[in-house]
Amino acid sequence: MEVFQPRRSFQVTYGGAYDVAILKYDSTGSQLLYASYLGGSNNESPHSLVMNSKNELLILGTTSSFDFPTTTGAIDNSFNGGIPEANVIPYFNGSDLFLVKINANGSQLLASTYLGGSANDGLNPQVSPLVANYGDELRGDLITDPQDNIYISTVTSSPDFPVSNSFGLTYKGGITDALVLNINENLTQIIWAGFLGGNAADASHTIKTDAAGNLLVAGGTASFDFPTTAGAYQTVHGGYVDGWMSKILSDGSSVLVSTFTGTASFNQVYFIDLDLDENVYVYGQTTGSFPVTPGVYTNANSGQFLQKFNKDMNALLFSTVFGAGRGIPDISPTAFLVNDCNNIYMSGWGGLINSSRGFWNSGTQGMPVTADAIQKTTAGSDFYFIVLTDDASELLYATFLGGNQSPTHVDGGTSRFDKGGIVYHAVCAGCGGGYDDFPTTPNAWSRQNRSLNCNNAAFKFDLSSLKARIQTNSVAFDMPGLSKICMPDPIVFQNKSTGGQFYEWDFGDGGQFFRQDTAYVVHAFQAPGTYRVKLLAVDIGTCVGKDSTYTNVTVSKPMGFAGPDQVMCFDAGARLVAVGGVSYLWENWDKTFTSTQASPLVNPTDDDGYVVKITDVNGCLTKDTVNIEVIPGIDLKFTYNKFYDCFSRPTLNVENLTDPAENVFFDFGDGTTSDLDQTKHEYSTDGVFNVRLVGTKESCIYEEVKPIPVFELKVPNVITPDDHPENNTFVLLYGGSKLSASSLKAKVVIYNRWGGKSL
């Protein structure tokens, strides 16, 4: 028990011995919404649970605890006792029934009461001939009416059980009587309660209401004096154990109809249901030569029976048996449904858990399955599900469900189908070694058995015979449930329907498609928007004829784009442009450049292409390419020299050394140009001039620039020293200033008149 973790619940403390564990999952089984203990210091077991109109949970079970939690004002706050009994689990103090109401989120115990007399209540004794399967000791059921009054079908050994206001105020004898109760919504009053039985073992396993509020109950009896009504289908007990069905007036004052159904061997009804015309259907077990009416689906000599009676239960409309044909029951019944189309759904388990405890030496091997079964093979100790048509003439569906190693079962109790054909089950799985082999679904809350033996497995299994279902997906089939796509991407619609002779698709954009199979359909929407896609499944052989379902698909036009392509002059650089995204990834052709900027700067040396992935706010991905054409550069070269005459500005001599194939010209920086390869140029003013060799190629202009200083240079060519100081020196002028003020250096050599060096 240490691994059970209560959460968001009304009882977080383990009571002791065996407690009831209550777990609520979301509709997909992926989230555990709450988990709680329920119990006292001794043993408890649940038998049935149901939701009322307020989504409050009602639980029926048995307890052997003196301190089982009850609420103020409940019908009975004290344990009434009984005799020790070991029925699946030990009841050391005997047993009482308990009835509990819990609020919708599991946080509060709204009402709780004991129900019992001085003997055991809610238990079929192990020695009872009605205990034919493991867990039959713990059967019972409860339902509610539109006013949330509660009705219970169960069993008691207490002659002093507090019955009142009903058809049956006297315990009829034998080891047990069937017990039927009507309790108010708040669990503060037994409105009526009655015994139903004879002088041997009797038990009620199942309960339903008709449109008038009358109760239909059924079970098993070994009592030859079990009360029947005149004119009913079978008024005489057939032999060992018979099934029985009774209709009780809504106020509990009288039994309107009561009948046996059975042979001279073992027969027992475990479930009862009604169709819209209030015809009565029962599902049970037999070892006798059970009647099989003409035109029904049947597996001869089998141990599970199905019958349909008229509403007054005085006429048999059909009867059949199904199973492996081994002459004894194969499965212990767990759930039953007649849906609004009158299709008939049955489930049960069989195998090792029964045979190892001295019950039926049988299992699920050899039971029929259909070609579309979800599990076609069995290890022999699995669950079994079967669906028949309204008149039982045809097998619509049958499958196994279980692991390939461990036996699966339930410890008694009642499970349910809803009217849509979905069965809801909590089972014992992975038994015998803590196996993880019971099939679970992806994203299930737990896919492991954390016990060393059995663990609770819960499943929801849709067995409806006509159900339209759509699953969207990507074309790679790796995105099931896809609901948003980007143009022009197509989307896959997978037809997951069950049943159906043909299918009509309407894509919401004017596109329609008709198919006679469930093959997937690929569709591409041509405009952005939200489209309601409808699938209609049609099968004229079913009562509803057709079923439809819808899914919404949002189509977005990608917002990202890049460009335009560019022509770039060599070494000038270019800025790539992409817009419309929330993220960007650039990469050039040889993958030597990457960037996550929207508009990065690039400078390729040769023509290159840049691919960008743009993700927009809708998740749409755009791939675009920007091409950069690079205009080759020109290797510009020129030389120059300056010629001085010592009394004016120098003459500039330039020579172009560039490849003659290139188109070039000189720009002397003073507004003068020349296209000659060699030329001289004279400046009219002093200054530093940026002399450029300019090359042009297509739309690009390249240049080689050299700053050249050009200043007037005046150098005296004679000196006449004498007694006058001013004649003893001379000055070199550069740009109107002393040469010494510039960065230039000069060396003076003086010659005499005869040409000889004086200094």
Side-chain angles (χ1 to χ4, degrees):
M1 294 297 297
E2 298 83 21
V3 298
F4 183 76
Q5 296 293 326
R7 57 176 69 186
R8 298 182 289 274
S9 65
F10 64 91
Q11 182 177 332
V12 298
T13 305
Y14 171 49
Y18 286 94
D19 273 4
V20 176
I22 307 164
L23 301 95
K24 180 178 180 179
Y25 299 96
D26 68 353
S27 62
T28 65
S30 60
Q31 297 293 324
L32 180 63
L33 303 181
Y34 76 77
S36 182
Y37 293 109
L38 174 62
S41 57
N42 213 285
N43 288 327
E44 283 82 30
S45 179
H47 295 189
S48 183
L49 53 82
V50 72
M51 306 291 289
N52 67 12
S53 65
K54 302 179 182 67
N55 289 327
E56 296 162 341
L57 179 64
L58 296 162
I59 306 173
L60 174 71
T62 43
T63 179
S64 195
S65 296
F66 286 92
D67 55 352
F68 186 88
T70 60
T71 52
T72 303
I75 295 167
D76 191 349
N77 296 105
S78 60
F79 182 67
N80 297 281
I83 60 172
E85 180 80 36
N87 286 5
V88 179
I89 61 173
Y91 289 81
F92 298 110
N93 303 314
S95 66
D96 271 6
L97 288 159
F98 69 76
L99 180 61
V100 164
K101 182 166 70 170
I102 301 165
N103 70 340
N105 64 16
S107 63
Q108 184 179 359
L109 183 66
L110 298 176
S112 179
T113 187
Y114 290 105
L115 295 168
S118 58
N120 289 346
D121 306 287
L123 294 182
N124 278 303
Q126 279 191 331
V127 297
S128 172
L130 307 183
V131 177
N133 305 275
Y134 173 79
D136 277 357
E137 301 94 333
L138 304 177
R139 289 190 182 267
D141 200 4
L142 81 161
I143 57 174
T144 61
D145 65 15
Q147 292 73 44
D148 287 335
N149 293 307
I150 302 161
Y151 300 88
I152 295 173
S153 161
T154 185
V155 64
T156 183
S157 297
S158 296
D160 58 347
F161 189 95
V163 295
S164 61
N165 306 320
S166 76
F167 61 89
L169 301 178
T170 304
Y171 187 78
K172 301 302 191 298
I175 57 174
T176 55
D177 267 8
L179 180 64
V180 185
L181 301 93
N182 176 199
I183 294 174
N184 72 339
E185 175 188 2
N186 297 320
L187 281 56
T188 58
Q189 180 187 3
I190 297 177
I191 299 172
W192 59 261
F195 298 113
L196 187 58
N199 59 13
D202 312 284
S204 182
H205 304 315
T206 179
I207 188 168
K208 294 291 180 182
T209 59
D210 65 14
N214 300 317
L215 299 176
L216 281 295
V217 289
T221 180
S223 299
F224 282 73
D225 61 343
F226 186 94
T228 59
T229 54
Y233 164 69
Q234 182 181 330
T235 58
V236 177
H237 195 282
Y240 174 51
V241 170
D242 269 8
W244 60 267
M245 303 87 73
S246 297
K247 182 187 293 187
I248 301 169
L249 193 63
S250 60
D251 64 3
S253 61
S254 64
V255 176
L256 301 176
V257 182
S258 187
T259 184
F260 296 113
T261 184
T263 68
S265 299
F266 172 83
N267 319 269
Q268 185 160 210
V269 173
Y270 289 97
F271 287 95
I272 193 168
D273 204 359
L274 308 177
D275 62 21
L276 292 176
D277 296 323
E278 298 191 349
N279 296 306
V280 178
Y281 299 72
V282 292
Y283 166 36
Q285 290 180 325
T286 182
T287 59
S289 298
F290 211 80
V292 175
T293 54
V296 296
Y297 173 82
T298 189
N299 308 121
N301 198 36
S302 289
Q304 291 69 229
F305 71 79
L306 169 67
Q307 291 184 301
K308 177 182 179 180
F309 300 90
N310 67 348
K311 64 185 301 184
D312 296 321
M313 291 187 285
N314 58 15
L316 178 67
L317 303 183
F318 70 69
S319 181
T320 190
V321 294
F322 65 92
R326 54 173 60 95
I328 58 174
D330 308 296
I331 57 174
S332 174
T334 58
F336 183 50
L337 168 71
V338 179
N339 74 359
D340 289 342
C341 300
N342 296 343
N343 287 338
I344 303 160
Y345 299 76
M346 292 166 283
S347 67
W349 64 271
L352 183 63
I353 300 298
N354 252 350
S355 61
S356 65
R357 287 160 172 78
F359 297 110
W360 309 115
N361 187 21
S362 60
T364 48
Q365 299 102 326
M367 298 192 75
V369 294
T370 50
D372 57 347
I374 194 172
Q375 182 177 322
K376 296 183 176 67
T377 60
T378 178
S381 297
D382 291 331
F383 264 79
Y384 179 75
F385 303 90
I386 184 170
V387 184
L388 300 178
T389 53
D390 59 345
D391 58 359
S393 64
E394 183 181 352
L395 173 64
L396 294 176
Y397 184 77
T399 188
F400 302 111
L401 184 68
N404 55 15
Q405 293 175 287
S406 63
T408 306
H409 66 285
V410 297
D411 291 349
T414 299
S415 296
R416 303 182 191 279
F417 288 93
D418 66 20
K419 281 296 185 181
I422 300 175
V423 64
Y424 299 83
H425 243 303
V427 305
C428 298
C431 302
Y435 296 103
D436 295 324
D437 60 336
F438 190 84
T440 57
T441 50
N443 302 318
W445 181 75
S446 174
R447 305 188 72 182
Q448 291 182 318
N449 179 0
R450 294 187 173 91
S451 168
L452 298 178
N453 190 18
C454 303
N455 208 330
N456 176 267
F459 63 84
K460 172 184 173 183
F461 192 177
D462 191 347
L463 297 169
S464 57
S465 58
L466 180 60
K467 193 76 170 181
R469 292 189 184 92
I470 298 172
Q471 177 171 280
T472 54
N473 216 326
S474 67
V475 292
F477 296 94
D478 58 358
M479 298 179 69
L482 179 66
S483 62
K484 294 181 180 181
I485 59 169
C486 304
M487 296 172 57
D489 295 345
I491 185 172
V492 171
F493 296 99
Q494 294 174 274
N495 187 343
K496 297 291 187 177
S497 302
T498 56
Q501 294 174 321
F502 58 88
Y503 306 90
E504 296 177 6
W505 290 93
D506 185 336
F507 300 109
D509 62 351
Q512 294 181 322
F513 203 77
F514 175 87
R515 292 199 80 107
Q516 290 183 296
D517 57 38
T518 56
Y520 66 86
V521 176
V522 180
H523 186 72
F525 294 92
Q526 301 303 309
T530 298
Y531 298 90
R532 192 183 195 201
V533 179
K534 176 183 178 181
L535 173 62
L536 178 68
V538 180
D539 186 347
I540 59 175
T542 65
C543 70
V544 293
K546 57 187 178 181
D547 187 47
S548 61
T549 189
Y550 303 87
T551 190
N552 290 323
V553 176
T554 300
V555 181
S556 300
K557 184 177 181 179
M559 301 167 63
F561 65 91
D565 293 342
Q566 299 181 46
V567 176
M568 184 194 90
C569 298
F570 182 84
D571 203 32
R575 188 166 295 280
L576 305 173
V577 177
V579 296
V582 294
S583 67
Y584 304 85
L585 179 60
W586 289 93
E587 192 173 58
N588 68 337
W589 284 338
D590 63 4
K591 304 186 186 307
T592 58
F593 170 84
T594 60
S595 176
T596 57
Q597 298 178 16
S599 298
L601 185 66
V602 296
N603 193 14
T605 57
D606 295 298
D607 293 352
D608 207 348
Y610 296 83
V611 179
V612 61
K613 295 178 181 178
I614 309 169
T615 304
D616 65 24
V617 68
N618 296 316
C620 294
L621 178 66
T622 301
K623 290 182 68 174
D624 208 346
T625 301
V626 176
N627 294 304
I628 302 294
E629 178 186 352
V630 179
I631 304 300
I634 301 174
D635 186 14
L636 296 166
K637 298 177 182 178
F638 74 94
T639 61
Y640 73 92
N641 58 62
K642 292 181 285 186
F643 178 75
Y644 291 90
D645 59 6
C646 297
F647 56 85
S648 63
R649 294 180 188 88
T651 299
L652 181 67
N653 298 321
V654 293
E655 181 179 1
N656 173 27
L657 303 179
T658 304
D659 185 340
E662 302 292 355
N663 182 30
V664 300
F665 65 89
F666 283 105
D667 183 338
F668 294 102
D670 61 352
T672 305
T673 61
S674 174
D675 59 1
L676 299 176
D677 286 338
Q678 289 184 337
T679 188
K680 296 180 179 180
H681 183 67
E682 294 183 354
Y683 290 90
S684 60
T685 60
D686 288 350
V688 177
F689 296 91
N690 287 325
V691 178
R692 299 185 302 149
L693 179 62
V694 180
T696 61
K697 183 174 289 187
E698 298 184 25
S699 60
C700 295
I701 298 175
Y702 303 101
E703 61 182 29
E704 173 72 12
V705 181
K706 294 182 180 181
I708 300 175
V710 177
F711 291 94
E712 186 179 57
L713 178 64
K714 293 184 177 181
V715 181
N717 61 357
V718 65
I719 183 172
T720 56
D722 56 19
D723 294 333
H724 298 282
E726 60 269 21
N727 291 330
N728 294 332
T729 61
F730 67 88
V731 176
L732 301 181
L733 296 178
Y734 182 71
S737 300
K738 291 181 179 180
L739 181 66
S740 61
S742 73
S743 60
L744 300 179
K745 302 295 183 183
K747 180 179 180 182
V748 178
V749 179
I750 299 177
Y751 294 86
N752 61 25
R753 68 181 64 185
W754 298 282
K757 288 183 180 181
S758 297
L759 292 175

